[in-house]
Amino acid sequence: MPSSTSVTLDVVLLLPWNVREQAISSSRALAARMASNGFPSHFRLGEPYDASASASASASADGGCEPHVSLFMLAVAPSEVPDVVEAVHGVATASPPLHAVGNEYRHNPHGAPEMYFARSAAWVSLQRSVIEEVEPLRRGRLRKVGPSGERLHDVMTCRPPANPVAAAQLARYGYDEVADGDGDRFNPHVTLAWPDDPNSRVSLTDLPPAQVYSCVLSEIAVYGMSPYGTCTTGHATFPLCAQRASTFTGS
């Protein structure tokens, strides 16, 4: 289990400007629809996350909720963040940009609308490279909670486990959305909003076609996380296949 001073990091791919703007626009539209239904969203992409509004807040919200595709999450001590940044830099220098194809919208089990990319060997290869370099840095630590607030220690140790594959991946990687031969749970996606009632569902039929998210993803980044899978604290970003890093101001 992470100590009280640990931070949760997310290694992510960032969206190019036009696709990022589309995700922000759709997030706002979905959040407005949720609010009109009486179940407001916990966040809107591109806007600050209000940590004071969540009793489960585990990270400070320094900036807006950045649209992203998660590759790997882990808990580390604050002093170890530079080690993760260095490891991701190494991945960036050896990895080509990724050609992503927007495939479909659907809700996750908690009612959050998400846009899913089509799976490909390139997605799996990039995630495996990240895990190979970054996973050892968690030193066996487990994040306290997952994006929805579920206690991950309970998920991993419940007998019998409600989801054996997820529990096994948490035990092995500290993360349970991995392209693993024993149970592939990696489905790259952008989470657009998150209702405060997990049983609510808003219509996704009038969103732009998922294909508008088809693009070349050429930036990998390390972010600090706030609840509901939001990325709010930028530590560094790197161009894929480039040698130099661009760090966030104030990180």
Side-chain angles (χ1 to χ4, degrees):
M1 296 289 287
S3 72
S4 60
T5 59
S6 67
V7 295
T8 299
L9 301 180
D10 198 0
V11 180
V12 305
L13 288 180
L14 300 180
L15 306 179
W17 181 85
N18 61 320
V19 179
R20 179 182 186 274
E21 290 300 302
Q22 180 58 69
I24 289 172
S25 175
S26 291
S27 177
R28 291 173 178 167
L30 288 164
R33 195 173 307 160
M34 291 174 182
S36 68
N37 289 346
F39 305 113
S41 178
H42 286 288
F43 66 85
R44 296 179 184 222
L45 293 176
E47 299 180 16
Y49 178 80
D50 183 6
S52 65
S54 174
S56 64
S58 59
S60 63
D62 293 345
C65 299
E66 182 65 29
H68 65 277
V69 186
S70 295
L71 297 172
F72 188 67
M73 302 175 188
L74 73 161
V76 299
S79 62
E80 297 170 321
V81 171
D83 297 333
V84 177
V85 167
E86 183 179 0
V88 172
H89 185 198
V91 173
T93 62
S95 301
L98 191 148
H99 292 258
V101 177
N103 188 43
E104 64 173 335
Y105 297 100
R106 63 178 186 265
H107 296 93
N108 74 12
H110 309 284
E114 298 179 325
M115 197 297 302
Y116 286 78
F117 291 100
R119 281 280 305 266
S120 69
W123 278 108
V124 174
S125 176
L126 181 59
Q127 190 196 45
R128 296 306 308 181
S129 295
V130 169
I131 290 174
E132 181 178 350
E133 297 299 323
V134 175
E135 190 278 330
L137 300 176
R138 73 183 183 95
R139 296 177 170 84
R141 287 168 292 201
L142 185 67
R143 292 169 292 134
K144 185 176 182 180
V145 298
S148 68
E150 74 275 27
R151 292 181 58 84
L152 296 183
H153 181 267
D154 295 342
V155 174
M156 190 176 70
T157 60
C158 177
R159 295 291 182 268
N163 188 323
V165 176
Q169 291 197 353
L170 285 172
R172 182 175 181 182
Y173 303 107
Y175 183 57
D176 61 344
E177 296 184 20
V178 175
D180 189 72
D182 294 331
D184 193 341
R185 289 173 50 83
F186 180 45
N187 290 289
H189 63 272
V190 179
T191 303
L192 298 170
W194 199 300
D196 67 0
D197 180 353
N199 296 312
S200 69
R201 300 288 186 276
V202 294
S203 174
L204 307 179
T205 56
D206 58 350
L207 292 172
Q211 288 72 28
V212 302
Y213 288 86
S214 298
C215 60
V216 176
L217 300 174
S218 59
E219 291 185 310
I220 191 169
V222 179
Y223 266 83
M225 297 183 68
S226 291
Y228 304 103
T230 52
C231 283
T232 53
T233 306
H235 293 292
T237 183
F238 306 96
L240 294 173
C241 271
Q243 296 297 320
R244 298 184 63 185
S246 173
T247 57
F248 288 84
T249 302
S251 65

